[in-house]
């Protein structure tokens, strides 16, 4: 398995500002992902974080709004830019471990935008 | 894309009861997982089960890949089992809409 930490665990932000979320995993993993979970909804994949290159975004998500970095095999950041109340969600980092395709999730960042 | 449907959407149980949650998917999958999201939002891995049957304590799961469904069994339910159960297929990262379980004492 993998132990994943996220910072911050929660935040309340003002409209128009940006927030960067950090994800750290305790072992080298093949893939890292970022998901969004809107209130009362299921999870939606935002993007795959690629080490040393641009992230791969899913339909409906763009780099200008959700820039992602992954400088090494164990760390990634997601920025939520120019926030609006519609961005209020839980943002989760997940990883796929080397020995299988099984995914593990971090504790999530609960974001409220006023 | 792959459609992932979970049933029932809501379930209320008395403590000690058994239940079966179902996940149907519309195409062949090479990775299927069950998760429990507790009331604090944490997603807990229950089973990685692209096919076959697995058991872990009071929980067990079966995936019949050829018929495109998976079942999660919860026996002797406890109040700590409350939360939302998600089925997810990772061919392309599709999550079902979840089953919200409430176990009453």
């Amino acid at each position: 398995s993998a132990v994943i930490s996220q910072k911050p665990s929660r935040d309340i932000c003002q409209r128009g500002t940006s927030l960067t979320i950090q994800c750290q995993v305790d072992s080298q993993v093949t893939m890292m992902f970022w998901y969004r979970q809107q209130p009362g909804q299921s999870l939606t994949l935002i993007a795959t974080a690629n080490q040393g290159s641009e992230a791969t975004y899913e339909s409906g998500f763009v780099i200008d709004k959700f820039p992602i970095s992954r400088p090494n095999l164990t760390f990634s950041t997601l920025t939520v830019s120019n926030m609006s109340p519609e961005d209020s969600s839980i943002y989760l980092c997940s990883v796929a471990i080397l020995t299988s395709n099984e995914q593990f999730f971090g504790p999530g960042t609960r974001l409220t935008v006023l | 894309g792959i459609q992932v449907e979970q049933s029932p959407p809501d379930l209320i149980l008395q403590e000690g009861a058994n239940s079966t949650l179902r996940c149907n998917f519309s195409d062949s999958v090479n990775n299927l997982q069950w998760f429990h999201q507790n009331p604090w939002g944490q997603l807990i891995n229950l089973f990685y089960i692209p096919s076959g049957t697995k058991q872990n304590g009071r929980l067990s799961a079966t995936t019949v890949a050829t018929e495109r469904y998976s079942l999660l069994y919860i026996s002797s339910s406890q109040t700590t089992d409350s939360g939302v159960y998600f089925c997810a297929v990772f061919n392309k990262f599709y999550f079902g809409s979840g089953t919200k379980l409430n176990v009453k004492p």
Side-chain angles (χ1 to χ4, degrees):
Chain A
S1 66
V3 177
I4 305 162
S5 60
Q6 282 186 236
K7 290 194 296 187
S9 58
R10 59 177 62 233
D11 207 341
I12 301 173
C13 301
Q14 295 298 317
R15 180 195 300 261
T17 63
S18 299
L19 176 72
T20 296
I21 303 167
Q22 298 180 2
C23 175
Q24 178 77 53
V25 61
D26 68 341
S27 56
Q28 292 187 358
V29 295
T30 53
M31 302 181 80
M32 297 181 76
F33 310 96
W34 287 97
Y35 288 81
R36 180 177 72 182
Q37 186 178 26
Q38 295 176 301
Q41 303 296 311
S42 186
L43 280 76
T44 301
L45 180 67
I46 298 172
T48 301
N50 300 310
Q51 186 203 356
S53 64
E54 190 173 291
T56 304
Y57 289 85
E58 298 300 305
S59 176
F61 298 96
V62 296
I63 187 171
D64 290 346
K65 177 66 176 178
F66 297 102
I68 289 170
S69 76
R70 187 180 175 190
N72 57 52
L73 287 173
T74 62
F75 183 79
S76 178
T77 65
L78 167 74
T79 299
V80 186
S81 303
N82 189 25
M83 288 183 286
S84 67
E86 292 72 34
D87 294 320
S88 297
S89 297
I90 299 175
Y91 292 86
L92 299 108
C93 168
S94 80
V95 303
I97 62 175
L98 281 169
T99 54
S100 76
N101 289 323
E102 187 172 4
Q103 287 207 15
F104 295 87
F105 283 80
T109 296
R110 192 177 296 267
L111 171 62
T112 301
V113 184
L114 302 177
Chain B
I2 297 177
Q3 305 300 313
V4 183
E5 297 180 350
Q6 290 186 242
S7 60
D10 294 280
L11 185 59
I12 299 174
L13 295 177
Q14 208 62 37
E15 196 169 27
N18 303 328
S19 63
T20 300
L21 282 57
R22 187 177 180 100
C23 172
N24 292 333
F25 42 94
S26 61
D27 204 347
S28 59
V29 299
N30 55 23
N31 178 353
L32 186 145
Q33 292 183 234
W34 283 95
F35 298 90
H36 174 213
Q37 188 169 41
N38 63 25
W40 296 271
Q42 174 73 56
L43 273 169
I44 299 164
N45 286 44
L46 297 178
F47 294 102
Y48 169 73
I49 188 165
S51 64
T53 297
K54 291 186 178 179
Q55 180 156 6
N56 184 4
R58 296 181 296 103
L59 303 182
S60 64
T62 295
T63 296
V64 183
T66 53
E67 297 186 22
R68 300 180 183 169
Y69 72 89
S70 183
L71 302 174
L72 177 69
Y73 305 96
I74 304 174
S75 64
S76 304
S77 59
Q78 301 175 357
T79 56
T80 52
D81 295 331
S82 296
V84 183
Y85 289 80
F86 288 106
C87 162
V89 297
F90 290 111
N91 293 38
K92 192 57 177 171
F93 314 106
Y94 294 106
F95 271 73
S97 54
T99 293
K100 186 174 182 180
L101 174 63
N102 185 6
V103 181
K104 296 186 176 297

